[in-house]
């Protein structure tokens, strides 16, 4: 329902931009030859997007809004104007559980996945140890009753 309600946003986004939406999250990709051109296009897209959402009675949570400049070469952070709020570009962003890093390296995503799996493994080992102790006590009590 939400995507139907907001489907008009895709029509107002400039042709230079690619917009993808999933539930109430929208992602806009813009390519360009210079940082200044990209910055202008981002700000233009954001203004159009925000104004369309406002016309639908919605607001953009700028605290959750992220901007990443993807480039193989190291790039200084820049500031983007989002409807009067200043947003600083970030080094990475998570999209549907996948961590995208500004140089398009998979290393941060893999490292993050390894950390999660390590925590999960330790949790399962702890649970196994506690359940083994519990069942051992149960069997000991069970044997004493009979």
């Amino acid at each position: 329902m939400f995507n139907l309600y907001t489907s008009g946003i895709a029509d107002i986004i400039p042709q230079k931009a690619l917009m993808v939406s999933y539930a109430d999250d929208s992602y806009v990709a813009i390519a360009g030859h210079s940082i200044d051109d990209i910055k202008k296009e981002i700000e233009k897209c954001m203004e159009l997007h925000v104004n369309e959402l406002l016309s639908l009675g919605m607001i953009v949570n700028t605290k959750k809004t992220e901007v990443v400049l993807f480039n193989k070469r190291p790039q200084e952070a820049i500031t983007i104007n989002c409807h009067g709020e200043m947003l600083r570009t970030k080094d990475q962003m998570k999209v549907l559980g996948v961590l995208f890093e500004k140089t398009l390296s998979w290393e941060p995503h893999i490292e993050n996945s390894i950390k999660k799996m390590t925590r999960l493994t330790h949790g399962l080992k702890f649970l196994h140890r506690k359940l083994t102790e519990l069942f051992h006590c149960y069997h000991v009590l069970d044997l004493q009753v009979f």
Side-chain angles (χ1 to χ4, degrees):
M1 283 306 261
F2 182 82
N3 285 344
L4 281 174
Y5 186 64
T6 60
S7 63
I9 294 173
D11 298 333
I12 60 147
I13 297 295
Q15 287 185 342
K16 285 184 175 181
L18 169 69
M19 183 176 146
V20 177
S21 294
Y22 182 80
D24 64 344
D25 290 331
S26 296
Y27 306 95
V28 179
I30 298 171
H33 295 290
S34 74
I35 296 299
D36 289 334
D37 289 343
I38 292 171
K39 180 178 176 173
K40 286 176 191 169
E41 283 298 316
I42 290 172
E43 289 177 345
K44 179 178 163 184
C45 276
M46 284 188 154
E47 193 65 24
L48 291 168
H49 201 131
V50 169
N51 286 336
E52 183 67 17
L53 288 172
L54 287 171
S55 75
L56 295 171
M58 293 186 267
I59 59 169
V60 172
N61 185 346
T62 53
K63 302 275 187 257
K64 289 183 169 183
T65 302
E66 298 177 316
V67 180
V68 178
L69 293 176
F70 295 104
N71 196 331
K72 287 288 187 184
R73 291 171 280 165
Q75 184 66 48
E76 291 293 319
I78 63 170
T79 304
I80 303 291
N81 182 355
C82 177
H83 205 67
E85 295 270 340
M86 301 310 282
L87 304 175
R88 193 154 173 81
T89 56
K90 297 188 173 208
D91 291 339
Q92 59 191 21
M93 69 186 298
K94 193 176 274 192
V95 177
L96 299 176
V98 178
L99 194 58
F100 289 92
E101 193 262 341
K102 69 180 181 178
T103 62
L104 297 175
S105 165
W106 288 108
E107 192 171 327
H109 178 72
I110 292 168
E111 288 174 359
N112 189 46
S113 296
I114 289 170
K115 284 179 188 174
K116 282 183 178 179
M117 291 302 115
T118 301
R119 285 193 304 268
L120 180 63
T121 302
H122 287 300
L124 288 173
K125 284 181 182 178
F126 175 80
L127 185 61
H128 177 263
R129 192 170 47 249
K130 291 299 179 186
L131 287 175
T132 301
E133 290 172 10
L134 178 69
F135 285 121
H136 177 72
C137 290
Y138 176 74
H139 288 298
V140 169
L141 290 173
D142 194 33
L143 289 173
Q144 291 176 357
V145 173
F146 293 109

